[in-house]
Amino acid sequence: MTQERNYTPNTGGDRSIHLVGHVGRVVGCCRDLLGGCVRALAGSGGHCCGQPEGSVMGCTGGSVIALAGNPNTGKSTIFNALTGSHQHVGNWPGKTVEQKAGILKHDGQEIVVVDLPGTYSLSACSLEEQIARDFIVKAHPRVVVNVLDSTNLERNLYLTAQILEIGVPMIIVLNMRDLAEARGITIDIHRLAQQLYNTPVISVAASREQGLAELKQTIATFMTPQPQVACRLDLVA
Amino acid sequence: MSSTTQQMTLDQVPVGKPVTVVRVGGEKVTRRRLLDMGLVSGETVIVQGVAPLGDPINILVKSYSLALRKREACQITVEVQV
Amino acid sequence: MSTTHMSVPTSPSSIRYDHALEAEITRLSTAITQVSELRSMYRPRWLAIQLLEGDEQLLAEVQSLPAAEAVLRTLDASSAHLRELFGEDVDVLLTDQRYSFVNSLARDVLTHPAERRRTLSEKIDRVVTNRVLSIPIFLALMWIVFKVTTDVVSPFVDWIDGVITGPFTNWVVALVGVVGLSGTWFESLLVDGVIAGVGGVLVFVPVLMSLYLALAILEDSGYMARAAFVMDRLMHTLGLHGKSFLPMIVGFGCTVPAIYATRTLDNEKDRILTGLLVPFMSCSARLPVYILLAAIFFPEHAGLVIFGLYLLGIVTAVLLGFLLKHTLFKSQTHVPFIMELPPYRVPTLKAIWKQMWERTASFVQKAWTVIMVASVVLWFLMAIPLRGSGTFANTELDNSAFAMVSRSIAPVFAPLGFGNWEATGSLVTGFVAKEVIISTTAQIYAMDAAAVETEAATFAGELAAIATSFVDATVETLKAIPLIIGINLFPEEAEAEPSSLMIAMRDNFAASSGGHGALAALAFMVFVLLYTPCMVATAAARHEFGNKWMWVSIVGQLVLAWVAALVVFQGGLLLGLG
Ligand SMILES: Nc1nc2c(ncn2[C@@H]2O[C@H](COP(=O)(O)OP(=O)(O)O)[C@@H](O)[C@H]2O)c(=O)[nH]1
Ligand SMILES: [Mg+2]
């Protein structure tokens, strides 16, 4: 039993090791993301990541991040701010749900950003929930950026709890900071981060472009090649 | 508190009266949706209004507005202070 | 701007449930860890929780693995045990506890102002979803959307049409002249086939941009959810969703934006069903056909006939919607209506512009091939001489392959009273675009529209003309804005009627129907109302709902139109009308 075959939260790391070096290739894959991977994924519960490496899945883990959150929390605003004009809009394969992917350029890195459909939950009860969940669970994004509306944490954190359970790396973005401030709502983000098992928490006002530089930086820390020591040692052992 | 409580379903609650959710029933999908939206037991809910043709109702839960049909609302048992 | 201390991202943990639940979760995830297929794919704890919650998709996946039998046994035992212990289904327990985690977390990190003030959204909703005011507000907004997508943009539609058929065509002709192919069939193909096709797509650009502008504002502001809230009761009795109302209204202007407007519906079934019904809202391009025929055959009651046709379209949609909802679109499980009424927000210009641009561009990309092919095929049919002395691209329409094809289809329409090639031919071109029914008819009866005067034009002069005509279009649009509220500040002069065409058509319908021309014309109008609105609408349906639904839509409409026209004509004969 090797480590590689076990579930690890950072699966993307070891799968993509062959590919990550080639930015061009990754970007090439990203275009394909809308075709290959996601098609296989969103299809009838395709077992994408069970496939051997070299399959399209190899490239998704590579430099892909996903934006998840309730509807109307500012995901698309953040997506646009991150990716600028490097975007591709289409439909999720076979579905009438709009799919958006774009490229975030940061320090010479190219990171694929996928704007998942807005959902309140990941129960897979609706099409949107199914798409969002399958992507998070099966495409192994490097990190899920969970966007929350600061004026309604009581409901928004429910999705956060569910993403936490999946065991995928996460960044919490508390958006609409301006509105929360105007209403006199304060959030202790250090405490929140601590209570959420040290998940990074960033407060932003996306439509005013506040806090986005910090978000990019935080995303970048998830993109540096993961220490592969554990896996490698395990393989050797 | 000495006040007594009375149980009813959410579709019968008058506008503006705060009530507490006791139980959510109904078909699996409906129940799951309602729970996911925050209608869990112990939650306080206020009916904010009724659509002009009498059907969907607009409730305030977890400080946001949620619209649901009476068919869904009657699956939610609530407790009212009387 | 502050953030937490960033360290190397650690493997995240998740919330803890109470003892009894945790014990079963651990038991189940241990069983899952034994199955390598599951272990390599999912975090065992997560999968255990999903299975306990009753996730059907994942359960089916586990059931398909022979090695996972132990997992299923453990699952059954755990679920039964928990249900007995708590007297509740496990999904209720898990959601409850997840929310208690969220509640205690929120209490821990949130500081609310002491007194909760009513938010602006709640105040606006007191007016907008008010029992008395909500419906008038809703209808007024729908009226504005309708007017904007029809009257207000029409000067721009005319401008694009003018630029393409005018300067742009002239330039292409000039270029063709440069390479020495002037006056050949190639020139005709470019001008009458290809450019006509391009124009056919581009004239929809202003319409769609205005629709997407309206949609973006309605959606981003938060009003759309209120519209659904207000109309849900009515639309629900018709088997539709509150949000279906807007596409229906837009459909009276043009079916193409109406099909795209179904995007606002969240449920796929509702979206497709609405998309199937929208074409029965008689679009504005069909109106000239009604006007012409009603003027010829029902001069006394033209208004009544036209109104009746609109009504017939609505009734058809309602009945068909009801029928489909209880047959093809019957859902096994009841689809609940549980919808957030999001806070009102002022939409940002950037976001609106982006949506407008992206969606319109996407339409152009998807639609142009279909329309180009249709346009070129039609050109070839009209260009090929099958009899007479004409040559390729230079033949009488009567002798062309187009007439031949129309003649061979015509018998299908004989029972409807208009089984001649002229009427059939105009229906064939009407499949490409309803606007051209009249012009084809004129062409068929060899009533050349006013001879085109060609002026010697300079390139610079034409560029200037494009610019000034754009300014004119803008001015026209501004003038059209008061029309939204029904004030016409700029009355137009009435158009002259093409009387010779009318006489020819009257004789023709009378001949094909054995002397019951009026009845045949009525059947023809009913057919025009109910069959495929146009090629572009077809392309839009394919873009939105896929090939299968496009064909269902085309075939369904043809059958329905044929049957309805048959009932009108034969029924009328039986009743001794006409
Ligand atoms: N006041 C405020 N509004 C925001 C902020 N971020 C986004 N919005 C607005 O919130 C609305 C919903 O944003 P959108 O990005 O479409 O949300 P999505 O549904 O999650 O994709 C839009 O009208 C945005 O302009 C913010 O930080 N402050
Ligand atoms: Mg969005």
Side-chain angles (χ1 to χ4, degrees), chain A residues 5-7 80 87 96 98 120 133 154-155 158 164-166 183 186 188 191 193 195 197 214, chain C residues 3-4 13-14 17 39-40 43 46 55 95 98 105 108-109 111-113 263 271 340 354 544:
Chain A
R5 302 200 52 205
N6 272 328
Y7 173 86
N80 292 336
Q87 293 185 4
T96 47
E98 206 167 78
Y120 300 98
R133 191 184 80 177
E154 298 96 324
R155 191 197 65 218
Y158 180 74
L164 213 57
E165 249 162 17
I166 293 178
R183 278 190 218 166
T186 51
D188 183 345
R191 186 103 188 102
Q195 297 283 311
Y197 313 95
E214 194 187 352
Chain C
T3 183
T4 51
S13 309
S14 60
Y17 297 93
R39 186 183 60 228
S40 63
R43 184 187 195 201
W46 178 77
D55 188 291
T95 315
R98 223 176 261 140
L105 184 59
D108 196 7
V109 303
T111 325
H112 276 295
R263 280 199 185 176
R271 185 158 32 196
E340 184 188 1
K354 209 169 142 57
E544 285 301 290

Side-chain angles (χ1 to χ4, degrees), chain A residues 150-151 176-186 203 208 210:
Chain A
S150 303
T151 65
M176 315 262 177
R177 185 172 72 193
D178 52 326
L179 292 181
E181 275 166 12
R183 278 190 218 166
I185 299 171
T186 51
S203 111
R208 302 180 173 202
Q210 292 169 358

Side-chain angles (χ1 to χ4, degrees), chain C residues 52-114:
Chain C
L52 284 170
E53 267 183 301
D55 188 291
E56 278 157 21
Q57 201 188 326
L58 290 166
L59 181 65
E61 213 173 294
V62 173
Q63 279 169 338
S64 70
L65 295 173
E69 210 201 311
V71 174
L72 294 172
R73 254 182 289 122
T74 315
L75 174 63
D76 286 344
S78 292
S79 303
H81 173 67
L82 287 170
R83 209 171 303 127
E84 198 180 317
L85 200 63
F86 292 95
E88 283 271 28
D89 278 344
V90 187
D91 61 333
V92 178
L93 293 173
L94 286 163
T95 315
D96 258 4
Q97 295 195 13
R98 223 176 261 140
Y99 260 118
S100 13
F101 167 81
V102 167
N103 286 345
S104 68
L105 184 59
R107 261 198 306 277
D108 196 7
V109 303
L110 266 179
T111 325
H112 276 295

Side-chain angles (χ1 to χ4, degrees), chain C residues 264-286:
Chain C
T264 53
L265 287 142
D266 300 312
N267 180 288
E268 187 160 15
K269 277 190 168 174
D270 286 337
R271 185 158 32 196
I272 293 174
L273 180 57
T274 309
L276 289 179
L277 299 182
V278 145
F280 298 113
M281 303 294 114
S282 187
C283 72
S284 58
R286 284 176 257 199

Side-chain angles (χ1 to χ4, degrees), chain B residues 32 36 65 67 69 72, chain C residues 53 99 103 232 334 339 341:
Chain B
R32 199 57 217 276
D36 283 346
S65 296
R69 287 196 190 130
E72 271 78 54
Chain C
E53 267 183 301
Y99 260 118
N103 286 345
D232 183 68
H334 158 69
M339 179 184 68
L341 299 175

Side-chain angles (χ1 to χ4, degrees), chain C residues 262-334:
Chain C
T262 60
R263 280 199 185 176
T264 53
L265 287 142
D266 300 312
N267 180 288
E268 187 160 15
K269 277 190 168 174
D270 286 337
R271 185 158 32 196
I272 293 174
L273 180 57
T274 309
L276 289 179
L277 299 182
V278 145
F280 298 113
M281 303 294 114
S282 187
C283 72
S284 58
R286 284 176 257 199
L287 186 58
V289 183
Y290 307 154
I291 292 179
L292 180 65
L293 284 173
I296 299 173
F297 294 97
F298 308 96
E300 309 287 288
H301 307 287
L304 196 65
V305 167
I306 294 171
F307 180 74
L309 286 165
Y310 275 84
L311 204 63
L312 178 65
I314 297 170
V315 170
T316 306
V318 167
L319 293 181
L320 195 66
F322 200 77
L323 191 76
L324 287 175
K325 191 74 184 184
H326 290 90
T327 53
L328 216 56
F329 286 81
K330 199 181 172 94
S331 45
Q332 275 72 41
T333 53
H334 158 69

